[in-house]
Amino acid sequence: MARSLRSSTTRLFYSLCSSPKTSASPHPPPSSPVSSLLAGSFYLRRLSTGAAARVKEEWWKESMDRLRNIGISAHIDSGKTTLTERILYYTGRIHEIHEVRGKDGVGAKMDSMDLEREKGITIQSAATYCTWNGYQVNIIDTPGHVDFTIEVERALRVLDGAVLVLCSVGGVQSQSITVDRQMRRYDVPRVAFINKLDRMGADPWKVLNQARSKLRHHSAAVQVPIGLEDDFQGLVDLVQLKAYYFHGSSGEKVVSEEIPAKMEALVAEKRRELIEVVSEVDDKLAELFLSDEPIASIELEEAIRRATVARKFIPVFMGSAFKNKGVQPLLDGVLSYLPCPTEVCNYALDQTKKEEKVVLSGTPAGPLVALAFKLEEGRFGQLTYLRIYEGVIKKGDFVINVNTGKKIKVPRLVRMHSDELEDIQEAHAGQIVAVFGVDCASGDTFTDGSVRYTMTSMNVPEPVMSLAVSPVSKDSGGQFSKALNRFQKEDPTFRVGLDPESGQTIISGMGELHLDIYVERIRREYKVDATVGKPRVNFRETVTQRAEFDYLHKKQTGGQGQYGRVCGYVEPLLHGSSAKFEFENMIVGQAIPSNFIPAIEKGFREAANSGSLIGHPVENIRVVLTDGASHAVDSSELAFKLAAIYAFRKCYTAARPVILEPIMLVELKGPAEFQGTVTGDINKRKGLIVGNDQDGDDSVITAHVPLNNMFGYSTALRSMTQGKGEFTMEYKEHAPVSHDVQMQLVSTHQGTKAAE
């Protein structure tokens, strides 16, 4: 193509150079052979640039159309791991099949059962790349744990489409509902796969009806099984009207035949049902359906694709991954019905305009925007997985980490291919690549510097709960700290600190489950057993009224003494002020030399780190210095700092301090039949119910509940709702506790201090 382009432009160049002078062109003809040559080269350059841009555009358009980023999610034990194993085998990604609980003891490649960090693909592996019919399919690891971490949101943002696996015996189970709800929240188009048709009691039509009633899916089957249970032989494709059988030792030979005569009536009925359901959400197909014209396979396929991409319809596939039946047609369905990256609308947050949403074009033509969505410890250092949303990234390019403002060179760009890393020179929008040697945290956004976009909000909520953790054996301290460092990089809401009094390692996060997950991951992934202390709520203290202080710190021990006097008052800050602590110097004249003022402020700040009620930090307080006295010889920075600390402690009780506790915004979702029990339990936990809505058969309750009363709630909610209820919890504010709770907290604190 490039050769023909060159020859055509050369011909044009010669014709321009030798064109007659009588030109109808509005531009005057060139007057000499030199100017003629220059004009010709200008036209040639313009034409070749435009043509090259068009060729480039066609190239990336075709490349983007042949790309799918999908996730596979399911209820536990629906066959997600087995299905992934078969997909990898049929696409040539692995060369033999191992079962999840197989007799050979190898275990499935992507076995997440034990969260083991095996070589090759493990649950840690963020994106597995495979090819099917000339299309590139990235299978992205969808997190199994529920809604509390930022990580879940990022993984679902990277997906363009998903496969929801349902068990033909178990049907729609509690985790299926959770997973589906997550996908709906992040607007992920999906196809469903009813697995395990070879099992006793398999009934795909029951499962399809459950998906319609429980998940509110607008769905219909695109396949009909030939036989069920032990008699399961193959599938009939309702779109192409072909029967498929799977031969060979691992079902790798797909044989297409005519539909069995005994099934023709059922196939006609189910195809009509499929057309009816799709035509309800697709106008083009509805016109054909209403005019009673025969609908061709290609028209039906296009209509299903339009409706699926628009998230108005979910096509249902069937099969048995364990018996190697139905996996290849499912892969064809992923290519046919799930969107390519340009068909999905992604938005970024513009940091220069107060996080205003900006829709990204999703093409390589725009400025570079890429999200680091997963970090992995590789043998060459940190491997960072990037999803490129816009623009092009090249090896050796300089990119800017918007979250930290650092400029970084891309030393090595790779694509995960088979078991090896395949080095590539450049990657464009829509692709998932990995980079080595880039120090960043998970969730960081990279750009080329022309824009300041982030893919996720930079406002990281403050942690609300802490736990003391320590490794059981002293030898595993290295692995323990390695794990904590990695988790901090992965999740900005997870913090690690040291308790200055006890010297224990304190981990803080967004709730009980959040921290439990990380303790479990330390045990599973790093083989370190950790002892966990009692959960600790991050209380705060504050003052409610103005109190004066006048304190003289005087000490004489031979030689230079200590002398410092501070006068002033403390008062509560106005509600809604951004600062937690304010210090103001209102001394007129030189009662205290100005070089001692910073030491006084430091003393007050230090004293506010630990209130006298329960030893937690004091917030929303304003300290005003109005007078003082100094000594020409004995005054020093230390003397004034100590004077400030003692002055604060002395006037603190007069300012009527109160304890503040974190209040959580809790959203519960569960079947309406359990509404009374759940609301009663929230009232028992001193919660304030602020909203109650119906969502289909579910009841959605919004409440403000003190975090201190939410321990063990996930277990309590499960037992109240037979495992069907779920809740999300996020920090709202710190609010004063009631008087009886304050007395109880103070006496507990005094008791522990006395014991020490």
Side-chain angles (χ1 to χ4, degrees):
M1 186 174 178
R3 192 182 294 132
S4 64
L5 182 69
R6 266 201 306 277
S7 60
S8 63
T9 47
T10 312
R11 278 200 301 277
L12 177 73
F13 167 59
Y14 282 124
S15 66
L16 283 165
C17 290
S18 57
S19 60
K21 295 193 178 178
T22 53
S23 170
S25 160
H27 304 289
S31 55
S32 69
V34 176
S35 55
S36 172
L37 189 67
L38 287 170
S41 66
F42 168 72
Y43 279 113
L44 173 66
R45 199 160 56 248
R46 264 183 64 183
L47 181 89
S48 58
T49 312
R54 270 199 308 279
V55 169
K56 181 96 174 158
E57 186 169 327
E58 282 168 19
W59 162 77
W60 67 249
K61 224 170 174 45
E62 190 179 334
S63 166
M64 297 272 275
D65 287 345
R66 292 185 162 273
L67 185 59
R68 298 287 181 273
N69 296 318
I70 65 158
I72 298 173
S73 48
H75 182 84
I76 302 135
D77 221 13
S78 292
K80 169 182 156 184
T81 308
T82 311
L83 175 64
T84 313
E85 184 83 356
R86 299 305 186 270
I87 288 174
L88 298 180
Y89 176 72
Y90 294 133
T91 55
R93 181 80 169 68
I94 54 175
H95 303 297
E96 53 183 334
I97 292 174
H98 296 288
E99 299 313 330
V100 172
R101 288 185 274 267
K103 290 175 184 157
D104 57 5
V106 177
K109 263 282 189 186
M110 280 193 83
D111 199 351
S112 54
M113 298 296 167
D114 209 345
L115 289 167
E116 285 210 353
R117 301 170 73 233
E118 299 170 9
K119 289 183 180 67
I121 322 142
T122 64
I123 188 165
Q124 297 308 308
S125 190
T128 304
Y129 158 87
C130 55
T131 19
W132 181 252
N133 291 351
Y135 281 72
Q136 179 185 329
V137 181
N138 288 313
I139 300 171
I140 297 143
D141 175 37
T142 52
H145 48 255
V146 198
D147 304 80
F148 295 110
T149 58
I150 280 183
E151 203 180 343
V152 176
E153 184 176 335
R154 278 199 297 264
L156 288 169
R157 288 210 52 186
V158 171
L159 302 179
D160 293 330
V163 178
L164 178 66
V165 185
L166 301 168
C167 172
S168 65
V169 182
V172 173
Q173 291 148 293
S174 57
Q175 190 78 22
S176 322
I177 298 170
T178 309
V179 163
D180 186 71
R181 200 176 285 153
Q182 276 178 358
M183 288 180 187
R184 191 171 289 142
R185 194 179 300 151
Y186 298 111
D187 298 333
V188 180
R190 51 210 181 276
V191 301
F193 179 70
I194 298 176
N195 194 15
K196 303 192 178 185
L197 291 187
D198 59 304
R199 273 186 56 188
M200 286 287 289
D203 186 352
W205 308 115
K206 176 197 81 177
V207 179
L208 181 57
N209 287 329
Q210 278 184 354
R212 286 171 179 163
S213 60
K214 287 189 180 177
L215 303 177
R216 294 271 178 273
H217 277 185
H218 191 77
S219 57
V222 289
Q223 293 171 335
V224 173
I226 304 169
L228 283 172
E229 301 179 358
D230 292 342
D231 197 27
F232 178 48
Q233 294 161 16
L235 296 161
V236 174
D237 187 329
L238 296 177
V239 179
Q240 306 296 342
L241 290 174
K242 288 264 171 61
Y244 292 118
Y245 297 92
F246 305 89
H247 298 310
S249 58
S250 305
E252 66 276 5
K253 294 191 190 80
V254 182
V255 180
S256 137
E257 290 179 16
E258 291 302 310
I259 298 167
K262 61 179 182 187
M263 290 189 67
E264 279 176 359
L266 176 68
V267 168
E269 179 202 325
K270 293 293 177 190
R271 189 172 200 260
R272 186 175 172 82
E273 185 187 311
L274 170 66
I275 293 166
E276 265 181 46
V277 173
V278 178
S279 60
E280 281 174 29
V281 290
D282 187 81
D283 297 341
K284 234 175 178 181
L285 191 72
E287 281 177 30
L288 294 170
F289 178 62
L290 292 171
S291 58
D292 258 353
E293 290 177 24
I295 292 167
S297 298
I298 188 77
E299 289 167 337
L300 180 54
E301 192 174 321
E302 284 171 0
I304 294 173
R305 179 177 179 77
R306 282 193 300 271
T308 307
V309 170
R311 302 188 310 280
K312 292 176 180 172
F313 174 72
I314 297 172
V316 178
F317 291 81
M318 300 184 184
S320 165
F322 183 64
K323 288 285 193 284
N324 310 315
K325 291 181 172 72
V327 179
Q328 295 97 322
L330 173 67
L331 276 168
D332 292 336
V334 164
L335 308 186
S336 303
Y337 304 133
L338 288 181
C340 67
T342 46
E343 291 173 304
V344 178
C345 182
N346 286 305
Y347 62 85
L349 305 170
D350 191 343
Q351 294 301 323
T352 57
K353 295 180 183 170
K354 295 187 178 175
E355 298 208 340
E356 188 183 297
K357 281 190 180 182
V358 182
V359 176
L360 298 175
S361 65
T363 65
L368 171 71
V369 180
L371 172 73
F373 69 95
K374 192 93 170 186
L375 309 178
E376 199 177 295
E377 287 298 322
R379 55 181 184 275
F380 304 113
Q382 184 178 301
L383 185 65
T384 307
Y385 284 90
L386 292 180
R387 159 75 201 259
I388 305 164
Y389 285 96
E390 195 169 85
V392 176
I393 189 168
K394 292 179 182 167
K395 183 182 171 183
D397 270 3
F398 281 97
V399 293
I400 296 203
N401 182 335
V402 181
N403 299 58
T404 62
K406 284 182 184 170
K407 195 174 184 180
I408 302 163
K409 188 178 182 182
V410 179
R412 188 176 169 201
L413 199 60
V414 295
R415 186 164 63 185
M416 306 308 285
H417 184 56
S418 266
D419 284 352
E420 303 88 47
L421 307 171
E422 181 191 333
D423 275 281
I424 52 175
Q425 294 306 308
E426 69 170 39
H428 61 74
Q431 290 186 322
I432 288 174
V433 290
V435 289
F436 273 111
V438 171
D439 186 35
C440 69
S442 187
D444 284 0
T445 309
F446 293 95
T447 68
D448 54 9
S450 61
V451 288
R452 283 202 71 230
Y453 292 169
T454 57
M455 291 308 294
T456 51
S457 176
M458 287 172 73
N459 300 329
V460 176
E462 282 294 308
V464 291
M465 196 176 139
S466 306
L467 282 177
V469 286
S470 57
V472 173
S473 72
K474 293 279 181 282
D475 308 341
S476 50
Q479 284 290 85
F480 181 69
S481 56
K482 194 174 165 186
L484 293 181
N485 285 340
R486 180 179 148 212
F487 296 151
Q488 269 191 104
K489 273 189 171 180
E490 276 187 7
D491 185 349
T493 58
F494 178 76
R495 314 271 174 90
V496 179
L498 265 180
D499 186 341
E501 288 175 13
S502 63
Q504 286 178 306
T505 303
I506 305 289
I507 58 171
S508 309
M510 301 313 295
E512 196 176 8
L513 181 61
H514 188 196
L515 296 176
D516 281 353
I517 285 165
Y518 281 115
V519 172
E520 182 67 3
R521 283 182 69 182
I522 291 169
R523 193 173 69 78
R524 294 269 181 99
E525 292 170 28
Y526 288 88
K527 305 283 186 287
V528 176
D529 277 323
T531 51
V532 181
K534 194 177 174 294
R536 223 177 53 179
V537 174
N538 296 346
F539 289 107
R540 295 283 180 268
E541 296 181 26
T542 192
V543 295
T544 55
Q545 68 180 31
R546 177 173 158 158
E548 309 279 338
F549 61 82
D550 181 349
Y551 187 83
L552 171 64
H553 176 66
K554 195 164 119 182
K555 198 174 180 188
Q556 196 69 45
T557 52
Q560 187 187 352
Q562 291 179 10
Y563 185 94
R565 181 181 174 206
V566 288
C567 307
Y569 58 88
V570 296
E571 64 180 4
L573 275 170
L574 288 169
H575 187 69
S577 60
S578 56
K580 304 278 175 76
F581 178 95
E582 270 184 24
F583 175 80
E584 198 172 338
N585 174 22
M586 290 177 73
I587 294 177
V588 180
Q590 283 287 313
I592 299 174
S594 56
N595 57 315
F596 293 138
I597 300 296
I600 295 171
E601 184 179 348
K602 194 176 177 188
F604 278 118
R605 280 188 185 275
E606 209 169 283
N609 275 339
S610 173
S612 57
L613 288 178
I614 53 168
H616 280 258
V618 182
E619 279 186 356
N620 301 335
I621 187 167
R622 182 166 176 258
V623 180
V624 180
L625 191 63
T626 55
D627 199 3
S630 66
H631 187 277
V633 178
D634 289 353
S635 284
S636 64
E637 286 191 355
L638 176 66
F640 275 107
K641 183 181 164 186
L642 290 169
I645 291 173
Y646 294 131
F648 184 85
R649 287 182 187 165
K650 196 176 174 188
C651 76
Y652 188 61
T653 41
R656 291 189 51 201
V658 292
I659 298 170
L660 304 175
E661 66 178 340
I663 301 292
M664 309 303 284
L665 175 65
V666 181
E667 189 177 278
L668 301 117
K669 195 164 189 177
E673 63 207 77
F674 303 112
Q675 187 179 339
T677 325
V678 172
T679 46
D681 183 70
I682 286 190
N683 291 330
K684 202 168 76 182
R685 292 173 190 269
K686 297 185 180 168
L688 173 70
I689 293 170
V690 291
N692 195 339
D693 295 312
Q694 275 310 103
D695 178 9
D697 299 337
D698 286 349
S699 159
V700 181
I701 300 166
T702 317
H704 297 161
V705 192
L707 175 67
N708 206 26
N709 303 339
M710 287 295 285
F711 291 136
Y713 189 63
S714 49
T715 320
L717 182 67
R718 276 196 206 112
S719 61
M720 279 186 290
T721 60
Q722 299 172 7
K724 294 172 189 167
E726 61 163 38
F727 76 104
T728 57
M729 182 164 78
E730 63 184 65
Y731 169 71
K732 185 180 180 288
E733 61 185 358
H734 270 79
V737 300
S738 58
H739 184 65
D740 59 322
V741 174
Q742 179 155 325
M743 298 296 289
Q744 192 184 337
L745 287 168
V746 170
S747 62
T748 311
H749 176 66
Q750 285 168 351
T752 50
K753 275 189 90 173
E756 284 167 12

